[in-house]
Amino acid sequence: MVQVRELHEWPSAEAEAVAVQERLRSMVRFDGAPEEVRTVAGLDVAYAEGSDDVIAAVTVLNLADLSVVDSSVVRARAEFPYVPGLFAFREAPSLLEALAGLDVEPDVLVCDGQGLAHPRRFGLACHLGVLTDLPSIGVGKTSLGKYDPPGPERGDRSPLLLDDEPVGSALRTQPRVKPIFVSVGHRCTLDAACDLVLRLAPRYRLPETTRTADQLGRAESRR
C-alpha cells in the first residue's frame, strides 16, 4: 500500500491552495533516480459528464513487459473549484485514495499532468511525489511553455521553457509524431525521467501508463 504523508489539510480557497504550493515546493528533490524500477504507476483523472464527479484511475505496469499487474479506480465528488494552476487540489485527493487501494506499491508514479513545468514549479506530479515520497514524473499532452521542435526521430528532445527557465523537455516518443512534455515531479532527474518515458512508449505517442489509466477511467465513466 502506498503511504501518504499528511503535510497539509486540503484547502477550499484559492489563496490557501497557493500557499500550500509555495510551502511544499521546497521539499521537491530533482536529484537521483530510482535504483531499480520494476513497476510503474500511471495516474489519470476523468470527469463524469454532467456532474462534478472525478474519476481517478491508477494502473501499475510491470516495466519488463508493460503488462498491467494492479489497478485501482475511485469516483468521488470534486471538492475544489476548477482553477488553472491548482488542479492538484481538485484531483489529488481521489488519486491518493486510488493509490492507497493498490496491492502493489509502484516504484515510480507517472502522472498525466505537469511536474516542474508549472507556474509555481509545483504541478500535480510534484504534489503527489512529495506527499507519497515516491519518485514521480509529469507527462503532459500539451505544453505550458515554449520550446523549439525536437528532431524528428524517436528520443529526440528539446528544452521546455517557462518564463525563460528550463522546466522540462519536449520529447519525441515516435518518429515524426507530435512530442509530449516531460517534467520532473520528485526524486528523479530529467534525463532519467525521459529515459523511462521512452521505455513506456514503445509503440504509441503516449506512454502505456497514461494509456492504460485513461482506459480504466473511461470504462468507469461508462458505468
Side-chain angles (χ1 to χ4, degrees):
M1 178 186 294
V2 175
Q3 301 296 318
V4 178
R5 300 190 288 181
E6 296 184 5
L7 299 178
H8 66 83
E9 296 183 354
W10 292 101
S12 57
E14 182 175 345
E16 296 171 349
V18 170
V20 169
Q21 290 182 332
E22 297 284 3
R23 178 169 62 86
L24 293 189
R25 70 179 179 182
S26 64
M27 300 179 66
V28 174
R29 289 172 46 193
F30 304 111
D31 58 329
E35 292 184 3
E36 182 180 10
V37 179
R38 293 169 295 181
T39 56
V40 184
L43 294 84
D44 187 55
V45 169
Y47 291 88
E49 187 175 352
S51 76
D52 285 332
D53 285 358
V54 169
I55 301 170
V58 178
T59 53
V60 181
L61 276 60
N62 180 345
L63 184 59
D65 61 7
L66 301 184
S67 61
V68 176
V69 296
D70 197 5
S71 64
S72 177
V73 62
V74 168
R75 185 170 185 149
R77 181 60 55 92
E79 299 294 339
F80 195 85
Y82 186 92
V83 181
L86 297 175
F87 292 150
F89 296 91
R90 189 172 175 84
E91 300 179 352
S94 296
L95 285 170
L96 291 168
E97 186 178 346
L99 283 169
L102 295 172
D103 294 319
V104 177
E105 180 172 337
D107 297 315
V108 181
L109 308 180
V110 177
C111 302
D112 178 30
Q114 311 296 336
L116 184 62
H118 179 272
R120 283 174 290 279
R121 309 301 185 263
F122 197 76
L124 176 64
C126 295
H127 207 142
L128 292 174
V130 166
L131 291 183
T132 62
D133 202 30
L134 289 172
S136 60
I137 299 168
V139 176
K141 303 181 187 74
T142 58
S143 167
L144 292 183
K146 299 178 180 179
Y147 66 98
D148 291 327
E153 300 305 321
R154 171 177 162 84
D156 288 342
R157 50 191 272 207
S158 62
L160 175 64
L161 305 176
L162 192 58
D163 303 322
D164 295 323
E165 177 183 351
V167 293
S169 287
L171 177 67
R172 191 90 64 187
T173 53
Q174 299 300 324
R176 296 168 180 80
V177 170
K178 289 192 303 183
I180 58 175
F181 304 93
V182 179
S183 58
V184 172
H186 184 54
R187 293 181 56 196
C188 190
T189 66
L190 182 58
D191 286 345
C194 288
D195 289 345
L196 180 58
V197 170
L198 283 172
R199 291 184 65 184
L200 293 167
R203 297 177 57 193
Y204 301 104
R205 175 182 178 238
L206 295 176
E208 289 301 301
T209 39
T210 299
R211 284 168 42 81
T212 55
D214 175 73
Q215 290 166 3
L216 176 62
R218 288 177 185 273
E220 175 64 26
S221 70
R222 292 192 294 267
R223 294 182 180 177

